[in-house]
Amino acid sequence: EQARIGVTGLAVMGRNLARNLARHGHPVAVHNRTSTKTKALVEEFGHEGTFVPAESAEDFVAALERPRRLVIMVKAGAPTDAVIDEFAPLLEPGDMIVDGGNAHFADTRRREAALRERGLHFVGTGISGGEEGALNGPSIMPGGSAESYDALGPLLEDISAKVDGTPCATHVGPDGAGHFVKMVHNGIEYADMQLIAEAYDLLRHAAGLAPAEIAEVFRTWNTGRLESYLIEITAEVLAHTDAATGKPFVDVVLDQAEQKGTGRWTVQTALDLGVPVGGIAEAVFARAVSGHADVRNASQNLPGPSRAKVEESGFADAVEQALYASKIVAYAQGFHEIQAGSAEYDWSIDPGAMATIWRGGCIIRARFLDKIREAYDADPGLPTLLKAEHFAEAVGAAQDAWRQVITTGVRLGIPTPGFSAALAYYDSLRAERLPAALTQGQRDFFGAHTYRRTDRDGSFHTLWGGDRTETGA
Ligand code: 6PG
């Protein structure tokens, strides 16, 4: 039997994606560099659908109906190039290679251009939702040509998560657009996780709550506007007790956060595009700070304030407000980056559609994303999510509590880089005048870099070393 689609790379993500396809009635060819994985998959899960195992690259390609749809699920970077180099010569014009890994969008652009030259479609695709999502319905963010989406879209939509019957998969845009959006998704994921971590830290060390009590707080939050996968699993992690010691699990885990790079890429790319994503950047840096054990050890006895606990009742509610407001900022920054990337690379990405496909399947899935979609539906030209009616009102109502929570952290010496950066961004956007005018004056003073004026067009320079008259047109 000819397979409708093939998956090569049968580590857990690839294996689960292949099973998802088979379970939806799509005959799927499966291939792996070492064929033991292929055999194991068919032995264990063969009853779930039609699998066509292939030992060699040639057999794999031969097993696919045309135009061929070949999904590669290998490590980003050199392994992806190696697999492309292995299969591309075996394919024919019109065939499609889908890269479902977390590739850098610049690599995807390069690969797409090279394969397009050879008449092949290259579809860099973000897939979110971890192992469970890959099996039961991920959020899928494919880039590449519209033509390739015509051939792939129905399959991808079929196996994706659904929310209110709407698939969490759509064509994001040409070449690297899908991986770009997945990258920013991960940047937002980092920010969301950092903000949750700060909320936990404040409840623990400012209010003195125990992890199990904080788990209850998160469970309550998960019934309200913060309802989301990350809040839900936070409660689970906090409620978990370590079997070996009987201590809260969170107290026996080494407090050094790791990362594979997508959050960092989000910030590097934002720097290149000149988009302010301070909230996301602080989340990446917070992981970096945690990992520098040497510097942290050397800093243990630096002076700090006494840590008298806060007594105020209502502190947890204030933290909820700070968390919600900061979360809105993280999304506002992420969507700004998506729009800037879309403009830079001519992708015509529809931000509302991205919010729609993130509502289910992915790590940042949340009730809140409906609001983002509604905001872009109401005004596709929205300059920032913070100006959407719902978000402007929510942040306006939360801002006193937000400031109070950060002040508490500052007073007690509990770091809140995410909350604080988010608030600074909000206040910067709100400000009628920014001190950037002074920066411009300094630049003109030391380097004659010129400035623009509020009252007239043109570039101006003041003769700082002379009589300080203004020149320019
Ligand atoms: C997803 C996730 C996933 C990513 C992990 C790990 O959307 O399913 O983003 O793609 O691999 O979240 O990221 P870090 O190791 O960098 O934390």
Side-chain angles (χ1 to χ4, degrees), residues 102 127-130 182 185-186 189-190 258-262 287 363:
N102 269 331
I127 300 181
S128 179
K182 175 57 170 39
H185 165 285
N186 280 26
E189 173 184 307
Y190 277 48
E258 295 175 26
Q259 54 182 308
K260 289 200 276 292
T262 44
R287 291 195 190 188
I363 303 294

Side-chain angles (χ1 to χ4, degrees), residues 253-291:
V253 176
L254 190 67
D255 59 344
Q256 297 180 22
E258 295 175 26
Q259 54 182 308
K260 289 200 276 292
T262 44
R264 185 168 60 233
W265 292 345
T266 306
V267 178
Q268 287 170 334
T269 304
L271 289 170
D272 291 339
L273 292 168
V275 181
V277 296
I280 298 173
E282 285 299 343
V284 179
F285 283 135
R287 291 195 190 188
V289 168
S290 79

